[in-house]
Amino acid sequence: MSASASCAEIPEGSDYAPISLRRNFAWTFAGNVVYAGSQWGMLVALTKLGNPQIVGQFALGLAIAAPVMMFSNLSLRIVVVTDPQGRSRFGNYLALRLATTAFALLIIAGIGFGAKYHLGTALVIAAVGLAKCFESISDLLYGVFQRHERMDWIAKSMILKGPLSLAALGLAVYLSHSLLCGVLALALVWGLLLFGYDVRNCVRLLGAFGETGTKTVLRPRWMPVVIAGLARTAVPLAFVQALVSLSGNLPRYYVERYCGERELGIFAALAYVPVAGTTVVNALAGSAFPKLAKYYALENMAAFRKLVLQLVAIGALLGTVGVLTVVLCGRPILTILYRPEYAHHTDVFLWIMVAAGIGYVGAFLGNMATATGAFTRFVIPYCVFSAVAVIACWVLIPAFKLRGASWAMCAVSVVSCIVSVVIFALVRGRRVYEPPK
């Protein structure tokens, strides 16, 4: 039975039946609030327990690991959600995810040790890559939950993961005075939650379709023809998502190169404050995406447009509120959250919030384009998008330092909105994606 079989096969009222969009949003919002708050808490803990250089090392590790892992994930979660028929078994997805994740860890570690960072920074980068491997497997399981519109199971996992991650990282750094020990503790927590919670719930859901037993669910199915078909389907979108992640992290690379780890730590701390709006955006986007995909597949464009416009309006409202908040009380916010040295960069903080506000709208427009399933049409527009990001960072950051980095973020956000609209205009009415048999 398929890992993503139709939700209609589950009797109404069953423990495994889909829940409403409102409940999905409520659960997703709660999960994202707790998890994002905990991630921000980790950054705050590092600013209190260490110094900007430590924060910079952690931010650099995340910035290097994210694009590599994003590509290695091959967007399999999205492939599951945008395939209403669900023609591939979970074991095929798992086999592909395990192979690409292992390769990604080697790449991340190779970058850390091969890019002439000092040993401590290289070890932190490798440890972040290890933690991301566990997160990658959980992400695949989340795809099964999302396909069946059970965002509550994802949210509960995040609610557990967030505080435990904060406690593990903070306590390990406090006791050992070592960022490496903190990141390894983080990886341990993510691994335990993967096997102790996410896998168990995936077994339950797949069991509702006849795939019973942990051994059945956890057994990778190494079927070369099917796996190759999955990879061919997913690679275009995976490439695009890697480009998006890389472009989003480019300012951090340039800041580290031209300003150093200390300034990167300050920039990363400022850039994390808009996470409050991102939490709402991610909750709405994750909850609404299955419905967008269904509306598009059923050619119900009236409902599709209505939902997109509602989401975009919410994104614009969140961005406006964020910018006004920084204008009115940006300096006190930074002083209270971090240390006075961070509050000296209120001007940078304002531009970062402008970029975030545009990015909220861009996230919903990206959902609109992705729901079409026309993954092969994304490549060229997003190559242009990445080129703009490189040029913006290359021109602005060496000359204007942190302020230039915030301007580059604004440019990236604006172009992301334009690219999503262009893609949708090009593929509207066409169902390009055909799931592998």
Side-chain angles (χ1 to χ4, degrees), residues 234-255:
V235 161
L237 183 57
F239 179 70
V240 166
Q241 290 199 323
L243 286 179
V244 172
S245 179
L246 180 64
S247 300
N249 283 296
L250 273 175
R252 298 188 180 194
Y253 304 148
Y254 276 81
V255 169

Side-chain angles (χ1 to χ4, degrees), residues 3 10 14-17 90 141 144-145 148 150 152-154 156-157 196-218:
I10 303 180
S14 165
D15 291 340
Y16 310 103
F90 178 77
L141 306 186
V144 178
F145 305 151
H148 294 288
R150 293 307 304 260
D152 53 330
W153 287 4
I154 300 176
K156 291 172 185 177
S157 175
Y197 187 84
D198 297 333
V199 166
R200 180 170 61 86
N201 281 324
C202 192
V203 169
R204 290 171 56 199
L205 184 56
L206 294 181
F209 293 96
E211 287 198 44
T212 56
T214 304
K215 291 183 179 179
T216 300
V217 173
L218 291 181

Side-chain angles (χ1 to χ4, degrees), residues 67-81:
V68 177
M69 199 60 68
M70 186 69 73
F71 181 75
S72 74
N73 284 348
L74 291 178
S75 304
L76 294 184
R77 177 173 171 176
I78 292 179
V79 173
V80 170
V81 177

Side-chain angles (χ1 to χ4, degrees), residues 287-434:
S287 301
F289 184 68
K291 289 194 177 296
L292 282 175
K294 287 181 181 179
Y295 289 152
Y296 192 84
L298 297 173
E299 300 183 359
N300 186 353
M301 298 308 297
F304 183 91
R305 284 193 298 269
K306 180 180 178 181
L307 184 53
V308 169
L309 290 175
Q310 290 173 338
L311 295 172
V312 168
I314 292 172
L317 177 62
L318 287 172
T320 301
V321 171
V323 170
L324 291 176
T325 300
V326 174
V327 169
L328 296 175
C329 29
R331 182 176 293 273
I333 288 174
L334 294 179
T335 302
I336 294 171
L337 293 181
Y338 303 123
R339 292 179 177 177
E341 59 191 301
Y342 291 85
H344 295 321
H345 300 277
T346 307
D347 58 332
V348 176
F349 186 33
L350 175 60
W351 283 108
I352 287 175
M353 190 60 72
V354 171
I358 301 170
Y360 300 156
V361 174
F364 291 129
L365 293 175
N367 251 23
M368 173 189 70
T370 304
T372 67
F375 303 151
T376 57
R377 305 296 180 92
F378 289 27
V379 176
I380 293 178
Y382 274 98
C383 284
V384 175
F385 162 74
S386 297
V388 171
V390 170
I391 293 171
C393 291
W394 177 60
V395 171
L396 296 172
I397 295 177
F400 301 100
K401 308 302 180 186
L402 295 189
R403 186 180 298 179
S406 65
W407 294 342
M409 289 179 64
C410 290
V412 169
S413 295
V414 170
V415 177
S416 71
C417 293
I418 296 172
V419 164
S420 296
V421 172
V422 168
I423 290 173
F424 184 76
L426 291 175
V427 304
R428 181 180 174 182
R430 305 174 188 174
R431 184 71 181 178
V432 179
Y433 167 57
E434 291 292 341

